Amino acid sequence: MKISRTLLAMAIAVGLSACGGETAPPPSAEAVVTPPAKSADQLVAEVNAAISEQAPQVAAADWLASTYINSESATVSASANERWLTMLNGFIEEAAKFDGQKLEPETARALALLKISSANPAPRDPAKLAELTQLRTRLEGAYGAGKYCKDADDPASCRDIGQLSEVLAKNRDYAAQLEAWEGWHTVAPPMRADYQRFAALINEGAKEIGFKDAGELWRSGYDMSPAEVVVEADRLWGQVRPLYEQLHCYTRGKLETRYGEQGSVNGKLPAHLMGNLWQQDWANLWDLLEPYPGEGSLDVSTALQAQRDALYRTELSKLSGAPGPAEIVQAGVQADLAQAKAMTKLAEGFYTGLGMPALPDHFYSESLLIKPRDRDVVCHASAWPMDTSGRVRIKMCITPTEEDLTTIYHELGHIYYYLAYKDGPPIFQNGAHDGFHEAIGDTIVLSMTPTYLASIGLVDDPKVSEHATVNEQMRMALSKVAFMPFGLLIDRWRWGVFDGSIAPENYNQAWWELKAKYQGVAPATARGEDFFDPAAKYHVPGNTPYTRYFFSHILQFQFYKALCDASGHTGPLHTCNFAGNAEAGRRYWAMLEKGSKQPWQQTMKELTGGESMDASAVLEYFAPLQGWLQEQNQGKACGF
Ligand code: X8Z
Ligand code: ZN
């Protein structure tokens, strides 16, 4: 669940539980004493104490399972979660006694948050609860250890997600990309039966605590009704869709120029040609899509790779005589780790430059920053609170690329949220809503303008010109705008799975219908029900709700605008870099400290002055690009 693992969410993420009442032995006749009725505040205090006590156990077990994927670590993680989810179900049952009673707002909020704190609500039945945690751990492990082996009998032919992603990022050969894309998707069909069962179990758990299904529970964390969340997401998508359509149209034209008829599939973008396994970020297609080649040098990846190579040479120079192969490999590992740390320090520097604290020493000694050579780990990046008092880490297989650099800034957004709210009650140690948690680091990524990148030595001093502006905007749009429909569709699929409108026999068909409808993406080859393509995306086997990322992609522009205003920025929004601005930092930290103790609308108001999510800052930011795209696309039949 990493992605952002809030304490509770994480513990609760994998949990199972058997209900409180079922585990206690029946009282003997003489021992029956009526306990004094517990007040709601006492219950909340107990919950807070239990989270503080249990979180380190669950986090440790989950960390182990994600960084040493094997059956023993899976057992340990499943049991820790089983214990916690059992406890949680007990608390939820106790909390239900206060339903309909008038409580202090903060108490009522704590109990409401308790109920929705797990993305995998567990049935009370202990056997089902245990089954749920085992499935959850198995699914995550299967994804993490996933490999495509061209020759099933030859382990040397196996490639992991990093290697396959690199093909899509760098190789422009149609067949090589298709093989890499199809290859990765072979990891998913074996997860289908487990996922189907898992979905049924969490639905059962959600129903037992009063929700229609697990999707409704997921949509209950936004201080509005679950039905309103759907309408709100549609409204925001409606605001940005015209911009997405322009980007889609331009991109399709470039793909058709490069690949001829194979550059599109019935007007849609071919899934394997987008530079990314899920078509959620098109930045790797820069070589095809750069509007004005060479105008404004934004080649961050080349600079990062050069830094790593220099570190490697330094490591080699330390070796005396004729080093053996093992020493040379070790020098490479040292260089990779040093580069990963240096990239993390760059990101940390942005936050400390805003006046936020330095990361604790244990952050660097305990984080996993590069892919170990000797074992399987879940490489999908994540940020972890290991307890409720600021023991934080990240887990990431960092490579010297721009994409990974920005992901580190993203992860540190979670880390600084954890650090900022660590002194609040554990039940409120969470984002104002989960989209806030995802938006913190990304807001800072928006401030990684050419000026900022030059200030940290990754690009040359920027030239200011209209062409350079279009290039810069395109660079950002390929990550941010391209992402938006993807951010929306994953949960459209899961909400359908949970509410039964997507039946197991239509899992894959429904997936591709949504891909076509929202992203305008299609597979180049038939993807029938013998495939299970949703599970080729981490968050499905990892059971991490995804609407948070869609909301985050709207919110981050609102936060960015507010912080730019706070820093006294004038001029077009996209030129704002608030790095080093203490006032922006102060206001940001004040928001982070609040955690989830008040409705997010209030938290947003304190930072931005407004109380709703709104895409007007997205459109303001991309106004120059939108105008340019419209000109480029004139006369073309856009749409999909
Ligand atoms: O999962 C992540 C982060 C961890 S919270 C690396 N993200 C989503 C994804 O990769 O699919 C960040 C953007 C969207
Ligand atoms: Zn995240």
Side-chain angles (χ1 to χ4, degrees):
M1 88 143 259
K2 295 48 187 10
I3 302 281
S4 97
R5 304 182 50 104
T6 58
L7 227 331
L8 251 200
M10 95 180 181
I12 298 169
V14 188
L16 357 180
S17 96
C19 211
E22 290 162 317
T23 48
S28 64
E30 63 270 60
V32 176
V33 183
T34 316
K38 193 185 288 174
S39 74
D41 284 331
Q42 280 168 330
L43 175 60
V44 171
E46 267 183 34
V47 167
N48 280 324
I51 298 172
S52 291
E53 194 187 293
Q54 295 297 315
Q57 313 279 330
V58 182
D62 285 354
W63 177 268
L64 184 67
S66 290
T67 58
Y68 285 80
I69 302 177
N70 56 43
S71 61
E72 290 76 25
S73 65
T75 302
V76 169
S77 163
S79 324
N81 279 280
E82 184 174 341
R83 246 185 348 262
W84 171 250
L85 285 186
T86 301
M87 243 178 171
L88 178 67
N89 273 358
F91 285 134
I92 293 174
E93 190 166 287
E94 282 193 73
K97 297 183 191 134
F98 300 100
D99 282 353
Q101 287 191 25
K102 183 125 185 65
L103 302 173
E104 287 300 318
E106 197 172 298
T107 309
R109 185 169 180 81
L111 295 182
L113 290 176
L114 177 75
K115 221 168 139 182
I116 58 166
S117 60
S118 176
N120 26 244
R124 278 188 207 114
D125 176 343
K128 287 182 177 169
L129 186 148
E131 185 186 358
L132 167 66
T133 52
Q134 286 152 20
L135 284 169
R136 170 70 180 71
T137 309
R138 196 154 80 211
L139 283 163
E140 174 135 14
Y143 184 94
K147 283 174 197 69
Y148 161 58
C149 306
K150 189 172 186 161
D151 174 355
D153 299 325
D154 176 13
S157 75
C158 298
R159 283 179 288 171
D160 63 23
I161 189 169
Q163 293 166 308
L164 296 166
S165 294
E166 195 174 336
V167 173
L168 300 192
K170 297 195 179 144
N171 190 331
R172 291 288 158 262
D173 179 66
Y174 185 94
Q177 291 179 85
L178 186 58
E179 192 200 354
W181 186 88
E182 290 184 339
W184 175 248
H185 286 72
T186 61
V187 307
M191 296 186 226
R192 191 179 179 120
D194 277 358
Y195 187 79
Q196 186 183 331
R197 175 70 181 150
F198 175 77
L201 287 172
I202 65 174
N203 253 350
E204 199 173 318
K207 285 178 190 159
E208 283 179 8
I209 55 174
F211 296 94
K212 269 199 225 128
D213 59 57
E216 192 184 72
L217 183 151
W218 287 12
R219 292 189 300 275
S220 295
Y222 297 96
D223 297 299
M224 57 177 95
S225 75
E228 280 168 333
V229 173
V230 184
V231 175
E232 186 64 352
D234 278 338
R235 181 184 70 76
L236 295 166
W237 171 232
Q239 283 186 285
V240 293
R241 187 181 165 118
L243 175 59
Y244 179 78
E245 280 180 356
Q246 291 293 326
L247 188 65
H248 181 281
C249 194
Y250 169 77
T251 302
R252 186 177 63 195
K254 293 289 180 189
L255 286 172
E256 286 169 346
T257 305
R258 175 71 176 75
Y259 296 100
E261 274 186 4
Q262 291 183 312
S264 61
V265 179
N266 298 327
K268 298 180 184 59
L269 306 170
H272 65 291
L273 293 181
M274 302 308 297
N276 172 280
L277 284 164
W278 313 280
Q279 312 81 46
Q280 68 184 71
D281 184 326
W282 306 346
N284 289 322
L285 298 190
W286 188 244
D287 54 322
L288 300 183
L289 303 179
E290 183 177 10
Y292 298 105
E295 299 209 30
S297 146
L298 295 173
D299 198 351
V300 171
S301 295
T302 299
L304 293 169
Q305 183 64 48
Q307 291 177 347
R308 187 269 172 199
D309 293 344
L311 288 165
Y312 182 49
R313 285 193 299 276
T314 308
E315 289 298 328
L316 288 179
S317 71
K318 292 184 197 161
L319 302 175
S320 51
E327 285 171 294
I328 294 177
V329 167
Q330 191 51 25
V333 171
Q334 291 303 338
D336 289 342
L337 185 59
Q339 178 61 13
K341 273 193 185 152
M343 289 163 65
T344 309
K345 288 269 174 201
L346 283 180
E348 180 186 8
F350 198 117
Y351 291 86
T352 55
L354 293 176
M356 296 187 192
L359 292 171
D361 288 343
H362 68 250
F363 172 86
Y364 284 101
S365 57
E366 295 178 4
S367 287
L368 184 149
L369 296 180
I370 58 171
K371 185 172 159 44
R373 291 170 43 81
D374 60 344
R375 62 185 196 265
D376 289 323
V377 303
V378 179
C379 270
H380 191 87
S382 50
W384 297 55
M386 300 301 292
D387 63 17
T388 49
S389 42
R391 188 163 155 223
V392 290
R393 342 177 148 158
I394 61 170
K395 173 185 65 56
M396 205 180 148
C397 301
I398 298 174
T399 59
T401 60
E402 177 179 9
E403 192 176 344
D404 280 5
L405 183 72
T406 56
T407 301
I408 300 169
Y409 282 68
H410 172 95
E411 296 306 332
L412 291 199
H414 294 306
I415 294 290
Y416 277 97
Y417 222 152
Y418 302 147
L419 293 175
Y421 59 48
K422 73 178 170 49
D423 297 324
I427 189 78
F428 296 138
Q429 292 192 11
N430 215 330
H433 70 50
D434 54 8
F436 278 60
H437 228 299
E438 296 305 334
I440 304 310
D442 280 18
T443 300
I444 288 185
V445 171
L446 292 175
S447 196
M448 295 170 77
T449 58
T451 312
Y452 169 74
L453 293 171
S455 77
I456 56 170
L458 290 179
V459 301
D460 296 335
D461 278 342
K463 284 191 228 91
V464 181
S465 72
E466 261 179 53
H467 285 185
T469 298
V470 173
N471 273 358
E472 268 166 65
Q473 289 242 298
M474 182 63 81
R475 164 181 163 268
M476 215 44 117
L478 293 176
S479 290
K480 303 293 182 190
V481 179
F483 179 83
M484 291 187 185
F486 184 73
L488 200 62
L489 78 85
I490 295 213
D491 283 351
R492 294 282 145 136
W493 184 80
R494 284 189 294 201
W495 295 344
V497 167
F498 296 139
D499 73 17
S501 60
I502 297 177
E505 58 273 22
N506 298 325
Y507 274 173
N508 222 42
Q509 182 193 337
W511 175 255
W512 287 105
E513 282 169 7
L514 290 164
K515 294 280 287 181
K517 175 174 172 192
Y518 288 104
Q519 285 184 291
V521 162
T525 48
R527 305 297 295 175
E529 294 301 328
D530 39 344
F531 297 105
F532 184 39
D533 296 321
K537 174 67 192 165
Y538 169 76
H539 303 67
V540 174
N543 199 44
T544 307
Y546 212 85
T547 305
R548 61 184 62 186
Y549 300 107
F550 175 70
F551 287 151
S552 153
H553 276 68
I554 306 291
L555 284 171
Q556 59 193 253
F557 288 87
Q558 294 177 270
F559 296 167
Y560 173 68
K561 186 173 162 66
L563 296 178
C564 290
D565 287 348
S567 73
H569 173 78
T570 52
L573 185 55
H574 70 273
T575 61
C576 161
N577 163 27
F578 58 79
N581 189 277
E583 177 57 13
R586 194 188 62 71
R587 299 193 50 154
Y588 213 21
W589 187 259
M591 174 170 101
L592 302 185
E593 275 181 326
K594 290 270 158 64
S596 62
K597 72 160 80 102
Q598 62 189 23
W600 65 263
Q601 291 89 341
Q602 177 62 25
T603 306
M604 169 172 260
K605 191 170 172 190
E606 286 160 14
L607 183 74
T608 68
E611 291 181 71
S612 49
M613 294 187 271
D614 187 81
S616 55
V618 178
L619 302 179
E620 179 184 344
Y621 180 98
F622 285 114
L625 182 71
Q626 183 149 22
W628 184 86
L629 284 170
Q630 272 158 357
E631 276 168 31
Q632 302 299 309
N633 292 332
Q634 231 165 38
K636 286 193 202 161
C638 291
F640 45 84

